[in-house]
Amino acid sequence: MVLTKFNKPLEEKEFEIPELQDEGEVLVKITASGVCGSDAYMWHGHDPRTPLPIILGHEGVGEIVKVKNSKNSVTGDILKPGDPVLWHRGVSCGKCFACKVDKEPSFCNNRWVYGINRSCDEYPYFLGGYASHIILSSDTDIFKVPKDVSHEALVSVSCSGSTTAHAFELAPVKFGDDVIIQGPGPLGIYAVAFAKFSGAREIIVIGGTEERLKICSEVGATKIINRNKTTLEERNDLIQEYTNGQGAQSVFEMAGSPKAVAEGIKYVKRGGTYASAGFGEPRGTVELDCFKDIGNTNISYQGVWVSDASHTYQALQIALKYEELFKKMVTHRYPLSQATKALEKMDNKEAVKAVIKPE
Ligand SMILES: [Zn+2]
Ligand SMILES: [Zn+2]
């Protein structure tokens, strides 16, 4: 299903599956493809990286059909036809200054992402998840997944799961810390799981969608605040009450809204960290009081840009442990031909996670 014009329905197109060219290339039959909130953003033409025509979709799970010569998984298994796999969504070069010296593959100048910045106009065409197949380049980080695991439950591992793992690496939660999570979407749900595993005391989630908040409770949130049913002042009182009047050691912004930043930064305990992982694209600006919000509180403002393969590995471990819970995150399923519908459901937030399943 190809995005050829912004804001128009995706077009069904047929391509011949090409012969694999490079050693280590892998042809994968997609079994489940996640629709990300940022796909809807791209669909509207808001992401400056989007080349047309493109097959969207950067969250996928599938089964290997063919490997050109040989290719190992990240954990060292020789990959074979029939193996269920998922892959890290970004591909970095491993050779540039960011990769080699800074050890920050997320900043690699040559980094590209499946379903985000390569068109389906040229070989190998199949580079997005909204398709029957995908061709993984030889330098893609591929993870084998156990045979009997639900593929639906794993679709978010390489996007929201991985980015959340990065956020928790940059803003580590210690045993007994109070944590606040703004935004109960897939990023927020993963954040609840990571906070729980880290031994957080209170895990407070603020959000506006009842169904999403319910899933956060099921995963392990200890307190839920519906922002549509509370005033700013009421929310502030609740946060003070839940955190013994101190605010939280870590506040995770998983909402992608400048308004959330202005509010959430005030919930950070003195000396704590505000980690902002919700902005995958430009979303506007925010006004902060440099004295009251940052200087006097001695807080760290931590940006979080995408992730690398180590984070996808961590997210995979958490998803495997909580398979049943992460399955609940999938609220809508569509055949490939209805990919546009799946986009709409993510766009209007009716779906927590929509999954496309090729027929
Ligand atoms: Zn995504
Ligand atoms: Zn690089």
Side-chain angles (χ1 to χ4, degrees):
M1 295 301 287
V2 180
L3 173 64
T4 50
K5 272 196 197 110
F6 296 123
N7 297 309
K8 293 278 184 265
L10 304 181
E11 284 180 43
E12 195 168 329
K13 299 223 165 166
E14 286 201 19
F15 297 80
E16 187 101 9
I17 295 174
E19 277 302 315
L20 300 179
Q21 289 178 359
D22 299 338
E23 181 165 341
E25 263 182 335
V26 181
L27 173 67
V28 173
K29 180 175 166 291
I30 292 177
T31 50
S33 199
V35 180
C36 184
S38 65
D39 292 349
Y41 217 69
M42 291 175 71
W43 179 38
H44 294 311
H46 295 324
D47 187 328
R49 297 174 291 180
T50 317
L52 297 181
I54 186 172
I55 303 172
L56 294 174
H58 52 267
E59 311 178 348
V61 185
E63 230 176 71
I64 293 183
V65 178
K66 213 194 263 177
V67 182
K68 174 88 174 173
N69 297 334
S70 94
K71 164 85 181 166
N72 283 14
S73 75
V74 172
T75 48
D77 304 285
I78 297 167
L79 295 169
K80 293 184 298 294
D83 284 347
V85 289
L86 64 82
W87 48 95
H88 181 63
R89 69 191 190 281
V91 180
S92 303
C93 75
K95 294 176 184 133
C96 69
F97 196 86
C99 287
K100 279 280 183 211
V101 180
D102 292 337
K103 295 181 183 152
E104 290 281 5
S106 318
F107 301 149
C108 171
N109 285 331
N110 307 307
R111 182 177 183 273
W112 62 275
V113 187
Y114 288 97
I116 292 188
N117 46 16
R118 289 205 170 166
S119 169
C120 58
D121 244 0
E122 48 190 70
Y123 180 86
Y125 317 106
F126 294 88
L127 291 176
Y130 298 12
S132 60
H133 294 78
I134 190 164
I135 293 178
L136 302 177
S137 71
S138 56
D139 45 3
T140 300
D141 297 309
I142 302 177
F143 299 87
K144 232 173 114 169
V145 301
K147 281 252 186 262
D148 49 354
V149 177
S150 151
H151 287 189
E152 275 183 22
L154 301 180
V155 290
S156 307
V157 163
S158 62
C159 183
S160 34
S162 191
T163 301
T164 304
H166 193 191
F168 275 72
E169 178 183 283
L170 294 168
V173 170
K174 294 189 307 299
F175 212 79
D177 281 352
D178 290 338
V179 171
I180 296 172
I181 296 156
Q182 297 178 282
L187 278 168
I189 293 169
Y190 264 101
V192 172
F194 273 95
K196 183 169 155 176
F197 257 126
S198 308
R201 189 183 74 107
E202 295 287 6
I203 303 171
I204 306 159
V205 180
I206 306 174
T209 315
E210 213 48 81
E211 196 186 357
R212 294 180 167 204
L213 290 168
K214 196 173 141 247
I215 295 174
C216 289
S217 287
E218 287 167 358
V219 176
T222 58
K223 300 280 191 300
I224 292 293
I225 302 176
N226 188 325
R227 68 177 157 75
N228 293 332
K229 294 181 178 165
T230 47
T231 63
L232 187 60
E233 210 185 331
E234 283 166 346
R235 289 199 288 283
N236 190 52
D237 289 347
L238 286 170
I239 296 293
Q240 295 308 316
E241 183 192 324
Y242 298 156
T243 61
N244 297 327
Q246 302 188 87
Q249 183 64 37
S250 304
V251 178
F252 291 90
E253 176 281 306
M254 305 303 212
S257 138
K259 248 174 138 173
V261 174
E263 176 178 341
I265 206 158
K266 297 184 180 7
Y267 298 151
V268 184
K269 179 180 175 174
R270 290 187 88 176
T273 303
Y274 189 75
S276 181
F279 293 92
E281 315 83 8
R283 297 268 170 125
T285 59
V286 64
E287 200 169 285
L288 297 175
D289 184 323
C290 299
F291 174 72
K292 273 209 278 192
D293 293 338
I294 301 175
N296 177 257
T297 52
N298 203 23
I299 69 159
S300 307
Y301 191 122
Q302 177 65 58
V304 182
W305 178 242
V306 301
S307 60
D308 65 34
S310 72
H311 308 120
T312 298
Y313 176 77
Q314 291 171 6
L316 176 59
Q317 305 318 312
I318 230 169
L320 290 175
K321 221 163 225 174
Y322 282 114
E323 184 191 347
E324 285 310 310
L325 291 174
F326 283 102
K327 232 196 268 179
K328 285 186 186 168
M329 197 152 110
V330 179
T331 50
H332 292 67
R333 295 163 186 83
Y334 295 94
L336 181 56
S337 55
Q338 291 181 37
T340 309
K341 194 151 220 172
L343 268 178
E344 285 166 359
K345 295 286 175 188
M346 284 306 289
D347 197 22
N348 65 17
K349 294 200 173 151
E350 230 176 279
V352 179
K353 176 59 67 182
V355 166
I356 295 170
K357 295 187 148 186
E359 298 84 305

